């Protein structure tokens, strides 16, 4: 009986040591991933310039447009052919992969989009909400929303301008939005 208990105790000690090594390995990997993410963000907003490898920070990543209020960055996705267009869900997923969301339009000046781009507005249980969870308070509907049209596209450079309700499964171009880099944002990342 005593030898069985000793054998089981040794087995448990070996398993415990193996688990401790695995936990330490996972901690190191998590730290490396965190450093990699921080480095990617730093490189995206603060690319190295010149021979001295100095960094110059920008409020938006390369290719993104700074909003007039300087609080947000926009990426206008202009698909070149029908295969590149996306449904509302697909467009939202593309924005999330870019650490952004479909654009939330707070006032008419923010709506600088072109013809027929998905925006971050969707009707759920009969209520129109933005992707950030806020309620629709001001709207620029060209046509009043109708059944089976639970997402919205922005329409500009065509008369009339504003938003049009649309079936979420239709494919369009889209606009992503993320917060512009500020000193507080940069410090929280680093």
């Amino acid at each position: 009986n005593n030898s069985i208990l000793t054998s089981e105790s040794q087995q448990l000690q070996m398993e415990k040591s193996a688990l401790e090594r695995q936990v330490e390995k996972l901690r190191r990997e998590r730290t490396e991933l965190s450093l990699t993410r921080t480095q990617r963000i730093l490189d995206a907003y603060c690319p190295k310039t010149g021979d001295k490898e100095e960094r110059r920070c920008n409020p938006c990543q390369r290719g993104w447009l700074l909003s007039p209020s300087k609080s947000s960055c926009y990426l206008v996705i202009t698909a070149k052919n029908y295969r590149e267009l996306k449904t509302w869900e697909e467009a939202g997923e593309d924005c999330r992969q870019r650490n952004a969301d479909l654009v939330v339009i707070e006032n008419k000046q923010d709506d600088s989009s072109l013809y027929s781009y998905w925006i971050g507005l969707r009707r759920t249980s009969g209520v129109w909400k933005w992707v950030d969870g806020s309620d629709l308070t001001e709207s620029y509907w060209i046509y009043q929303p109708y059944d089976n049209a639970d997402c919205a596209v922005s329409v500009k450079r065509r008369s009339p301008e504003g938003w049009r309700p649309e079936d979420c499964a239709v494919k369009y171009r889209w606009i992503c939005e993320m917060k512009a880099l500020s000193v507080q944002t940069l410090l929280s990342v680093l």
Side-chain angles (χ1 to χ4, degrees):
N1 244 1
N2 212 9
S3 66
I4 292 174
L5 288 175
T6 302
S7 175
E8 287 178 357
S9 176
Q10 289 173 341
Q11 180 66 31
L12 288 173
Q13 279 295 77
M14 288 186 340
E15 288 176 12
K16 178 183 174 199
S17 293
L19 287 172
E20 287 172 343
R21 286 190 303 274
Q22 189 176 12
V23 165
E24 185 55 35
K25 180 183 175 199
L26 289 172
R27 278 191 186 125
R28 280 192 311 271
E29 288 174 359
R30 186 178 82 197
T31 300
E32 288 173 16
L33 283 173
S34 178
L35 290 173
T36 301
R37 179 181 175 271
T38 301
Q39 187 64 49
R40 275 196 331 261
I41 292 170
L42 187 62
D43 290 343
Y45 285 99
C46 306
K48 292 179 181 178
T49 59
D51 295 337
K52 297 179 182 178
E53 303 261 332
E54 294 176 1
R55 291 189 181 272
R56 181 166 180 258
C57 294
N58 302 304
C60 299
Q61 296 178 34
R62 186 176 313 153
W64 291 67
L65 306 171
L66 184 62
S67 68
S69 67
K70 298 187 184 326
S71 62
S72 294
C73 299
Y74 301 108
L75 181 63
V76 179
I77 310 295
T78 55
K80 293 172 180 50
N81 59 54
Y82 181 78
R83 289 188 317 265
E84 295 176 354
L85 301 176
K86 296 193 181 297
T87 66
W88 191 88
E89 287 290 340
E90 292 167 342
E93 180 58 30
D94 178 79
C95 291
R96 286 187 291 281
Q97 288 178 3
R98 299 169 193 267
N99 294 317
D101 244 323
L102 284 170
V103 63
V104 173
I105 300 169
E106 294 175 4
N107 59 54
K108 195 65 172 165
Q109 285 77 27
D110 285 348
D111 190 5
S112 60
S113 61
L114 307 172
Y115 177 71
S116 298
Y117 282 77
W118 284 125
I119 59 175
L121 184 60
R122 184 172 193 167
R123 179 169 41 190
T124 306
S125 302
V127 178
W128 286 93
K129 286 195 174 279
W130 292 103
V131 291
D132 65 3
S134 61
D135 291 330
L136 175 64
T137 55
E138 207 171 331
S139 67
Y140 306 105
W141 295 114
I142 296 170
Y143 313 109
Q144 285 305 309
Y146 48 88
D147 292 342
N148 302 329
D150 292 328
C151 293
V153 291
S154 180
V155 178
K156 195 161 181 121
R157 296 197 180 161
R158 181 174 179 219
S159 186
E161 295 182 353
W163 306 338
R164 188 177 70 224
E166 188 61 76
D167 182 328
C168 301
V170 175
K171 295 188 175 204
Y172 285 106
R173 298 170 178 98
W174 63 100
I175 303 172
C176 298
E177 174 184 23
M178 67 168 50
K179 294 294 177 203
L181 182 67
S182 65
V183 173
Q184 292 104 345
T185 308
L186 185 58
L187 291 176
S188 71
V189 168
L190 301 175

